Amino acid sequence: MDLAPGSMFGLPCVLSSLQNTLTSVQEEDDLGPRLPRSVQAIYLKPLRRHAQYGVPACDLQLRSYSVRNVEFFADFALRAAYYLNLPAAGPVPLPRITERWTVPRSNFVHKKSQENFERITLRRLIQIQDGHPETVQVWLAFLKKHSYYGIGMKANIWEHEKLGVGRTMDVGLQNLQQVMEPGWARFGGIKNIDMSEKVMQMMISALRQWVALQNEAYPNDTLIYSIVDLHAHTVRQNPEQLQRWKRETLATLLAVGLDPVRSIIFYQSAVRAHLELMWILCQTTSTGSLNRMTQWKSKVSPSDDVSLNERVPTKLGLALYAYPVLQAADILVHRATHVPVGEDQVQHLEFARGSAVDFNKAHGAIFALPDIILSPAKRVMSLKEPETKMSKSHKDPMSRILLTDPPDQIAWKIRRARTDSLSGISYDPAQRAGVSNLIELMHYLEPGAPSCEAIGRDFEGLSMRVFKERVAECVVSNLSEFQDEYRRIMNADEGRFLHDVAMKGASRASAHAEETMTLVRKALILEDPAELRSSEKL
């Protein structure tokens, strides 16, 4: 729907005639007194353009401290709109803005030593209807170029599409969802609950460290590993797919070496104390601290204000906003002293420590302050873009190695990895990022491997094809044992083995968390369900 066809024709002549008219008006003002507004409106009537559809295209608000200035420039803006064939309505007087303040004139504070000031801002509104967006931009540019002194301008512009634009928006929304969905799904305690399809980055950085903590811990240390399925519900999930992911994640933890007898491994949703403590921690959590969370701000458009008072994109929900509180409850309900995390979760652990401090200050020393254990492993970089981290959200599946990839597919991905055309092999992350990434991959995977520089010197005389074959053999040999154990656990006892492990872990975790919640309920004078059940039996 073209709202103002032909409104741009003859624009230079229109502007020149407009300037001549303004000059003649200036001369008339110099020759005699100014005519009343009612008489001037009669002069402007032949120039007035009537709106056909009444669709607003622009709201221009003029502000000034002087009545003469704002009235003169409103008249000037209307004439400019009429000469550009823009239907304009106004000027409409808006409510005045009155500001008052008092300034002391001496060091003695009494009525005679004070001076009162008052400033009144006058406002006029001009609305353009059925205007072409380009013509409206020309009108505003002309007003800005010939702005009158003491006048402030503020414009809101709307652009309208043709009928049927909703279909185009639906297609654009589908394309946007394909790009954004991986980012929303990764948000959570382990960022993605489908850990069986995690890239090798997860195994090198986190899983191996968890197994090392289990093997090096003292006998009286309690080790707790939670599959945070509640965090997955920050976005809508497919129940059947989520259930499959939970089983695969549990099988991954067991296949990598975690012992369900030595450690407590459970599903987060099976222990209700996590949600109960989260609600209690909300009492001492401020919205300001949640607004400052980096991962929350990264989900919000840069043009949006990160505040509950403003409207944020509809994709973001309260579950996503309150995610750090639930994560703090996951840690504090077991009174954890050490938490292994990656660098991207350090701020969330600091939030958990702050939650513990606030609660202890209000209700007594109940929670321990957890210390952070950072993973010593560096990030594994993408096979296609060695400058970025290997991630499942990358659009190219050849850029990552999944824990469940078969050997032939792993070898194919490494052969297609980006390197360079230089001869020989050397470790130089600055100049040879692709080759250095493959060398680091071997260094991280091989137990007791030499340094990256030493690996580069050992393979210095090899061709790129032979070197990639060696890297593929290293990756396949280190993942083969895990993949065999993973398939065995998934099929053990027709799937009942994983169910039994989850149930036993949930029972142990619930008993461990109940010790903390008993202290919390006592501090807050809340009813204890265990006491209620015992009284019912009596």
Side-chain angles (χ1 to χ4, degrees):
M1 179 174 65
D2 193 356
L3 300 181
S7 61
M8 296 296 293
F9 295 126
L11 180 60
C13 297
V14 169
L15 295 181
S16 61
S17 62
L18 175 62
Q19 293 176 350
N20 294 335
T21 304
L22 294 176
T23 304
S24 62
V25 172
Q26 181 91 21
E27 293 176 354
E28 291 176 3
D29 287 347
D30 294 338
L31 294 176
R34 185 180 181 87
L35 297 176
R37 289 296 175 189
S38 58
V39 179
Q40 292 185 16
I42 297 177
Y43 293 158
L44 289 175
K45 188 174 182 179
L47 301 177
R48 186 179 297 275
R49 305 291 185 262
H50 296 282
Q52 181 179 359
Y53 304 99
V55 178
C58 175
D59 279 349
L60 175 64
Q61 184 180 139
L62 305 178
R63 296 186 177 189
S64 177
Y65 302 133
S66 170
V67 177
R68 178 182 178 86
N69 291 359
V70 73
E71 290 289 349
F72 171 79
F73 198 76
D75 179 82
F76 176 77
L78 280 176
R79 290 174 178 269
Y82 293 156
Y83 276 101
L84 289 175
N85 288 331
L86 290 175
V92 178
L94 297 178
R96 299 182 178 186
I97 300 177
T98 304
E99 300 172 279
R100 298 184 179 91
W101 65 93
T102 302
V103 177
R105 294 188 299 179
S106 67
N107 296 330
F108 300 99
V109 180
H110 50 82
K111 289 295 182 180
K112 294 184 179 180
S113 65
Q114 296 178 356
E115 188 172 1
N116 299 323
F117 293 90
E118 182 181 78
R119 182 170 61 190
I120 299 177
T121 303
L122 307 173
R123 298 186 296 170
R124 298 293 185 270
L125 177 65
I126 298 176
Q127 185 178 77
I128 304 296
Q129 298 177 350
D130 298 356
H132 195 280
E134 294 182 0
T135 311
V136 173
Q137 293 287 354
V138 172
W139 176 63
L140 294 175
F142 180 79
L143 296 181
K144 183 177 180 181
K145 180 180 179 181
H146 299 280
S147 59
Y148 198 62
Y149 73 93
I151 296 292
M153 291 182 288
K154 177 182 178 182
N156 294 327
I157 304 176
W158 294 272
E159 294 187 8
H160 304 278
E161 297 285 346
K162 297 180 180 179
L163 294 176
V165 70
R167 300 175 182 175
T168 307
M169 294 176 64
D170 292 340
V171 176
L173 178 61
Q174 294 177 0
N175 298 334
L176 181 63
Q177 287 178 343
Q178 294 177 358
V179 177
M180 295 298 294
E181 279 298 336
W184 301 117
R186 291 200 314 276
F187 201 96
I190 314 179
K191 288 194 175 180
N192 203 348
I193 199 168
D194 54 335
M195 194 187 294
S196 64
E197 298 183 1
K198 258 297 183 184
V199 294
M200 203 160 38
Q201 159 77 21
M202 188 69 184
M203 180 176 181
I204 292 176
S205 61
L207 300 182
R208 282 188 167 181
Q209 184 190 19
W210 296 352
V211 176
L213 288 175
Q214 173 188 265
N215 298 335
E216 298 172 1
Y218 292 105
N220 57 346
D221 288 342
T222 303
L223 304 174
I224 302 174
Y225 299 95
S226 173
I227 299 173
V228 287
D229 51 346
L230 288 175
H231 288 295
H233 286 284
T234 53
V235 294
R236 184 171 297 179
Q237 298 285 352
N238 184 333
E240 297 179 357
Q241 187 182 49
L242 182 61
Q243 181 64 24
R244 177 175 62 85
W245 284 349
K246 290 167 60 176
R247 289 176 50 83
E248 292 175 348
T249 302
L250 180 57
T252 301
L253 295 179
L254 299 178
V256 81
L258 291 182
D259 184 4
V261 177
R262 176 66 183 88
S263 305
I264 301 176
I265 307 174
F266 66 100
Y267 296 135
Q268 178 193 25
S269 59
V271 181
R272 298 302 179 185
H274 289 245
L275 291 176
E276 182 181 358
L277 182 59
M278 174 199 174
W279 180 253
I280 293 174
L281 291 180
C282 289
Q283 174 194 18
T284 56
T285 302
S286 66
T287 57
S289 60
L290 294 175
N291 288 339
R292 290 190 294 270
M293 301 305 292
T294 303
Q295 292 195 11
W296 163 258
K297 292 192 290 186
S298 66
K299 306 297 180 181
V300 183
S301 173
S303 61
D304 293 318
D305 184 21
V306 187
S307 172
L308 287 179
N309 298 325
E310 300 292 337
R311 182 174 178 82
V312 296
T314 56
K315 195 68 179 180
L316 303 180
L318 179 60
L320 195 64
Y321 183 73
Y323 154 76
V325 186
L326 179 57
Q327 188 181 44
D330 296 336
I331 298 169
L332 300 180
V333 75
H334 297 285
R335 285 184 285 179
T337 58
H338 297 80
V339 182
V341 294
E343 294 181 0
D344 58 337
Q345 292 291 319
V346 170
Q347 187 187 30
H348 287 210
L349 262 295
E350 294 295 340
F351 178 87
R353 289 174 58 91
S355 299
V357 170
D358 294 340
F359 187 91
N360 291 342
K361 186 181 299 183
H363 305 289
I366 295 178
F367 298 124
L369 301 184
D371 292 330
I372 301 172
I373 302 178
L374 285 177
S375 172
K378 295 183 179 180
R379 294 183 176 181
V380 179
M381 311 310 285
S382 169
L383 297 179
K384 288 297 185 180
E385 299 177 4
E387 298 82 9
T388 61
K389 187 180 72 171
M390 183 182 290
S391 172
K392 187 189 170 185
S393 62
H394 196 282
K395 60 182 180 181
D396 189 358
M398 301 297 293
S399 66
R400 55 187 173 269
I401 299 176
L402 303 181
L403 293 177
T404 53
D405 277 346
D408 56 344
Q409 193 170 2
I410 293 176
W412 172 250
K413 289 181 178 180
I414 293 179
R415 284 198 301 269
R416 297 288 301 274
R418 197 188 85 181
T419 51
D420 52 52
S421 58
L422 301 178
S423 60
I425 305 299
S426 61
Y427 181 71
D428 187 358
Q431 302 298 327
R432 310 189 69 179
V435 176
S436 301
N437 183 34
L438 297 179
I439 293 177
E440 291 174 352
L441 199 57
M442 296 183 66
H443 171 70
Y444 294 148
L445 285 175
E446 285 287 355
S451 63
C452 296
E453 292 79 4
I455 296 176
R457 289 191 296 267
D458 293 341
F459 295 134
E460 184 176 5
L462 298 180
S463 64
M464 193 63 66
R465 180 183 62 83
V466 177
F467 171 66
K468 289 185 176 180
E469 291 177 355
R470 298 285 183 87
V471 176
E473 293 174 0
C474 174
V475 175
V476 170
S477 62
N478 280 275
L479 289 183
S480 60
E481 181 179 355
F482 161 80
Q483 292 178 348
D484 294 341
E485 184 67 11
Y486 173 78
R487 286 189 289 267
R488 185 193 68 80
I489 294 175
M490 286 292 294
N491 300 322
D493 200 10
E494 298 180 354
R496 289 192 294 270
F497 172 73
L498 288 176
H499 177 75
D500 294 341
V501 170
M503 290 298 99
K504 292 178 182 178
S507 177
R508 297 171 60 190
S510 297
H512 192 270
E514 194 61 28
E515 298 177 3
T516 304
M517 292 309 301
T518 300
L519 300 176
V520 173
R521 297 187 192 107
K522 185 177 180 180
L524 295 176
I525 316 179
L526 298 176
E527 297 296 333
D528 194 332
E531 296 180 359
L532 294 177
R533 287 192 294 268
S534 61
S535 62
E536 289 177 358
K537 293 180 181 180
L538 295 177

Short mmCIF file of all heavy atoms in Angstrom, two decimals, residues 506-538:
data_model
loop_
_atom_site.label_atom_id
_atom_site.label_comp_id
_atom_site.label_asym_id
_atom_site.label_seq_id
_atom_site.Cartn_x
_atom_site.Cartn_y
_atom_site.Cartn_z
N ALA A 506 19.33 -41.03 43.77
CA ALA A 506 18.34 -40.06 44.25
C ALA A 506 18.05 -40.25 45.73
O ALA A 506 17.87 -39.28 46.48
CB ALA A 506 17.06 -40.18 43.43
N SER A 507 18.00 -41.51 46.19
CA SER A 507 17.74 -41.78 47.60
C SER A 507 18.88 -41.25 48.48
O SER A 507 18.63 -40.61 49.52
CB SER A 507 17.56 -43.27 47.81
OG SER A 507 17.37 -43.58 49.17
N ARG A 508 20.11 -41.50 48.06
CA ARG A 508 21.25 -40.99 48.83
C ARG A 508 21.31 -39.47 48.81
O ARG A 508 21.60 -38.83 49.83
CB ARG A 508 22.54 -41.59 48.28
CG ARG A 508 22.65 -43.10 48.40
CD ARG A 508 23.85 -43.64 47.64
NE ARG A 508 25.09 -43.07 48.14
CZ ARG A 508 26.28 -43.22 47.52
NH1 ARG A 508 26.34 -43.89 46.37
NH2 ARG A 508 27.38 -42.68 48.03
N ALA A 509 21.04 -38.87 47.64
CA ALA A 509 21.08 -37.41 47.54
C ALA A 509 19.98 -36.76 48.37
O ALA A 509 20.19 -35.71 48.99
CB ALA A 509 20.97 -36.99 46.07
N SER A 510 18.79 -37.36 48.39
CA SER A 510 17.69 -36.81 49.18
C SER A 510 18.02 -36.82 50.67
O SER A 510 17.75 -35.85 51.39
CB SER A 510 16.41 -37.59 48.91
OG SER A 510 16.02 -37.47 47.55
N ALA A 511 18.61 -37.94 51.13
CA ALA A 511 18.98 -38.01 52.55
C ALA A 511 20.06 -36.99 52.89
O ALA A 511 20.02 -36.36 53.96
CB ALA A 511 19.48 -39.42 52.87
N HIS A 512 21.00 -36.79 51.96
CA HIS A 512 22.07 -35.82 52.20
C HIS A 512 21.53 -34.40 52.21
O HIS A 512 21.92 -33.57 53.04
CB HIS A 512 23.15 -35.99 51.13
CG HIS A 512 24.42 -35.27 51.43
ND1 HIS A 512 24.66 -33.97 51.01
CD2 HIS A 512 25.53 -35.64 52.12
CE1 HIS A 512 25.86 -33.59 51.42
NE2 HIS A 512 26.42 -34.58 52.08
N ALA A 513 20.63 -34.09 51.29
CA ALA A 513 20.06 -32.74 51.22
C ALA A 513 19.12 -32.47 52.39
O ALA A 513 18.98 -31.32 52.84
CB ALA A 513 19.33 -32.54 49.90
N GLU A 514 18.46 -33.51 52.90
CA GLU A 514 17.51 -33.32 54.00
C GLU A 514 18.20 -32.85 55.26
O GLU A 514 17.60 -32.13 56.08
CB GLU A 514 16.75 -34.62 54.25
CG GLU A 514 15.52 -34.47 55.11
CD GLU A 514 14.49 -33.55 54.49
OE1 GLU A 514 14.44 -33.46 53.23
OE2 GLU A 514 13.72 -32.91 55.24
N GLU A 515 19.46 -33.23 55.45
CA GLU A 515 20.21 -32.74 56.61
C GLU A 515 20.32 -31.22 56.59
O GLU A 515 20.17 -30.54 57.61
CB GLU A 515 21.59 -33.39 56.64
CG GLU A 515 21.58 -34.90 56.78
CD GLU A 515 22.98 -35.48 56.72
OE1 GLU A 515 23.95 -34.69 56.61
OE2 GLU A 515 23.12 -36.72 56.75
N THR A 516 20.58 -30.67 55.41
CA THR A 516 20.69 -29.21 55.28
C THR A 516 19.32 -28.55 55.44
O THR A 516 19.19 -27.53 56.12
CB THR A 516 21.28 -28.85 53.91
OG1 THR A 516 22.56 -29.49 53.76
CG2 THR A 516 21.46 -27.35 53.78
N MET A 517 18.30 -29.13 54.81
CA MET A 517 16.98 -28.51 54.86
C MET A 517 16.40 -28.52 56.26
O MET A 517 15.60 -27.65 56.62
CB MET A 517 16.03 -29.21 53.88
CG MET A 517 16.39 -29.02 52.42
SD MET A 517 16.63 -27.28 51.97
CE MET A 517 15.03 -26.60 52.39
N THR A 518 16.76 -29.50 57.07
CA THR A 518 16.30 -29.50 58.46
C THR A 518 16.81 -28.28 59.20
O THR A 518 16.07 -27.62 59.95
CB THR A 518 16.76 -30.79 59.16
OG1 THR A 518 16.22 -31.93 58.47
CG2 THR A 518 16.30 -30.81 60.61
N LEU A 519 18.07 -27.92 58.98
CA LEU A 519 18.64 -26.72 59.60
C LEU A 519 17.99 -25.45 59.05
O LEU A 519 17.73 -24.49 59.80
CB LEU A 519 20.15 -26.69 59.39
CG LEU A 519 20.95 -27.87 59.97
CD1 LEU A 519 22.43 -27.74 59.59
CD2 LEU A 519 20.80 -27.92 61.48
N VAL A 520 17.74 -25.44 57.74
CA VAL A 520 17.14 -24.26 57.12
C VAL A 520 15.72 -24.05 57.64
O VAL A 520 15.32 -22.93 57.98
CB VAL A 520 17.17 -24.41 55.58
CG1 VAL A 520 16.38 -23.27 54.93
CG2 VAL A 520 18.60 -24.42 55.06
N ARG A 521 14.92 -25.12 57.69
CA ARG A 521 13.54 -24.98 58.17
C ARG A 521 13.52 -24.54 59.63
O ARG A 521 12.65 -23.75 60.04
CB ARG A 521 12.81 -26.31 58.00
CG ARG A 521 12.66 -26.76 56.56
CD ARG A 521 11.77 -27.99 56.46
NE ARG A 521 11.85 -28.61 55.14
CZ ARG A 521 12.48 -29.75 54.89
NH1 ARG A 521 13.06 -30.43 55.89
NH2 ARG A 521 12.51 -30.24 53.68
N LYS A 522 14.45 -25.04 60.41
CA LYS A 522 14.50 -24.65 61.81
C LYS A 522 14.84 -23.17 61.95
O LYS A 522 14.29 -22.46 62.81
CB LYS A 522 15.52 -25.50 62.55
CG LYS A 522 15.58 -25.25 64.05
CD LYS A 522 16.57 -26.18 64.72
CE LYS A 522 16.61 -25.93 66.24
NZ LYS A 522 17.60 -26.84 66.90
N ALA A 523 15.76 -22.67 61.10
CA ALA A 523 16.14 -21.25 61.16
C ALA A 523 15.00 -20.35 60.73
O ALA A 523 14.83 -19.24 61.26
CB ALA A 523 17.37 -21.01 60.29
N LEU A 524 14.17 -20.82 59.78
CA LEU A 524 13.07 -20.00 59.28
C LEU A 524 11.74 -20.33 59.97
O LEU A 524 10.70 -19.75 59.60
CB LEU A 524 12.92 -20.21 57.77
CG LEU A 524 14.10 -19.75 56.91
CD1 LEU A 524 13.86 -20.10 55.45
CD2 LEU A 524 14.32 -18.26 57.05
N ILE A 525 11.75 -21.25 60.90
CA ILE A 525 10.55 -21.69 61.62
C ILE A 525 9.51 -22.18 60.62
O ILE A 525 8.36 -21.70 60.57
CB ILE A 525 9.98 -20.57 62.52
CG1 ILE A 525 11.10 -19.86 63.29
CG2 ILE A 525 8.97 -21.11 63.50
CD1 ILE A 525 10.62 -18.74 64.17
N LEU A 526 9.92 -23.14 59.79
CA LEU A 526 9.03 -23.77 58.82
C LEU A 526 8.71 -25.19 59.28
O LEU A 526 9.48 -25.79 60.03
CB LEU A 526 9.68 -23.80 57.43
CG LEU A 526 10.00 -22.44 56.80
CD1 LEU A 526 10.72 -22.64 55.47
CD2 LEU A 526 8.73 -21.62 56.59
N GLU A 527 7.60 -25.70 58.80
CA GLU A 527 7.19 -27.06 59.15
C GLU A 527 8.12 -28.08 58.49
O GLU A 527 8.48 -27.93 57.31
CB GLU A 527 5.75 -27.33 58.71
CG GLU A 527 4.72 -26.44 59.40
CD GLU A 527 4.67 -26.71 60.89
OE1 GLU A 527 5.00 -27.83 61.30
OE2 GLU A 527 4.28 -25.78 61.65
N ASP A 528 8.50 -29.10 59.25
CA ASP A 528 9.37 -30.15 58.74
C ASP A 528 8.50 -31.34 58.33
O ASP A 528 7.80 -31.92 59.16
CB ASP A 528 10.37 -30.58 59.81
CG ASP A 528 11.51 -31.41 59.21
OD1 ASP A 528 11.27 -32.07 58.20
OD2 ASP A 528 12.63 -31.38 59.76
N PRO A 529 8.52 -31.75 57.04
CA PRO A 529 7.69 -32.89 56.61
C PRO A 529 8.01 -34.18 57.35
O PRO A 529 7.11 -35.00 57.59
CB PRO A 529 8.01 -33.01 55.11
CG PRO A 529 8.50 -31.66 54.73
CD PRO A 529 9.22 -31.13 55.93
N ALA A 530 9.29 -34.38 57.72
CA ALA A 530 9.65 -35.61 58.43
C ALA A 530 8.96 -35.68 59.78
O ALA A 530 8.45 -36.73 60.19
CB ALA A 530 11.16 -35.68 58.60
N GLU A 531 8.89 -34.57 60.51
CA GLU A 531 8.20 -34.56 61.79
C GLU A 531 6.70 -34.78 61.63
O GLU A 531 6.06 -35.43 62.46
CB GLU A 531 8.47 -33.24 62.51
CG GLU A 531 9.94 -33.03 62.88
CD GLU A 531 10.15 -31.72 63.59
OE1 GLU A 531 9.15 -30.99 63.77
OE2 GLU A 531 11.31 -31.42 63.96
N LEU A 532 6.13 -34.23 60.55
CA LEU A 532 4.70 -34.43 60.32
C LEU A 532 4.38 -35.89 60.04
O LEU A 532 3.38 -36.43 60.52
CB LEU A 532 4.24 -33.56 59.14
CG LEU A 532 4.30 -32.03 59.37
CD1 LEU A 532 3.90 -31.31 58.09
CD2 LEU A 532 3.39 -31.63 60.51
N ARG A 533 5.25 -36.54 59.25
CA ARG A 533 5.02 -37.96 58.96
C ARG A 533 5.15 -38.82 60.21
O ARG A 533 4.38 -39.76 60.43
CB ARG A 533 6.01 -38.42 57.88
CG ARG A 533 5.69 -37.91 56.49
CD ARG A 533 6.50 -38.64 55.45
NE ARG A 533 7.92 -38.35 55.58
CZ ARG A 533 8.54 -37.36 54.93
NH1 ARG A 533 7.84 -36.58 54.11
NH2 ARG A 533 9.82 -37.16 55.10
N SER A 534 6.12 -38.50 61.07
CA SER A 534 6.29 -39.28 62.30
C SER A 534 5.11 -39.08 63.25
O SER A 534 4.66 -40.01 63.92
CB SER A 534 7.59 -38.88 62.99
OG SER A 534 7.57 -37.50 63.35
N SER A 535 4.55 -37.86 63.30
CA SER A 535 3.40 -37.62 64.16
C SER A 535 2.16 -38.34 63.65
O SER A 535 1.31 -38.79 64.43
CB SER A 535 3.13 -36.11 64.26
OG SER A 535 2.82 -35.59 62.98
N GLU A 536 2.03 -38.48 62.31
CA GLU A 536 0.88 -39.20 61.76
C GLU A 536 0.94 -40.68 62.12
O GLU A 536 -0.08 -41.32 62.35
CB GLU A 536 0.85 -39.02 60.24
CG GLU A 536 0.48 -37.61 59.81
CD GLU A 536 0.53 -37.45 58.30
OE1 GLU A 536 0.91 -38.44 57.62
OE2 GLU A 536 0.21 -36.36 57.79
N LYS A 537 2.14 -41.24 62.14
CA LYS A 537 2.28 -42.65 62.51
C LYS A 537 1.87 -42.89 63.96
O LYS A 537 1.29 -43.91 64.30
CB LYS A 537 3.71 -43.10 62.27
CG LYS A 537 4.10 -43.13 60.80
CD LYS A 537 5.54 -43.60 60.63
CE LYS A 537 5.94 -43.61 59.15
NZ LYS A 537 7.34 -44.06 58.96
N LEU A 538 2.19 -41.91 64.83
CA LEU A 538 1.82 -42.05 66.24
C LEU A 538 0.32 -41.93 66.41
O LEU A 538 -0.29 -42.59 67.26
CB LEU A 538 2.55 -41.00 67.08
CG LEU A 538 4.08 -41.12 67.12
CD1 LEU A 538 4.67 -39.97 67.91
CD2 LEU A 538 4.50 -42.46 67.72
#
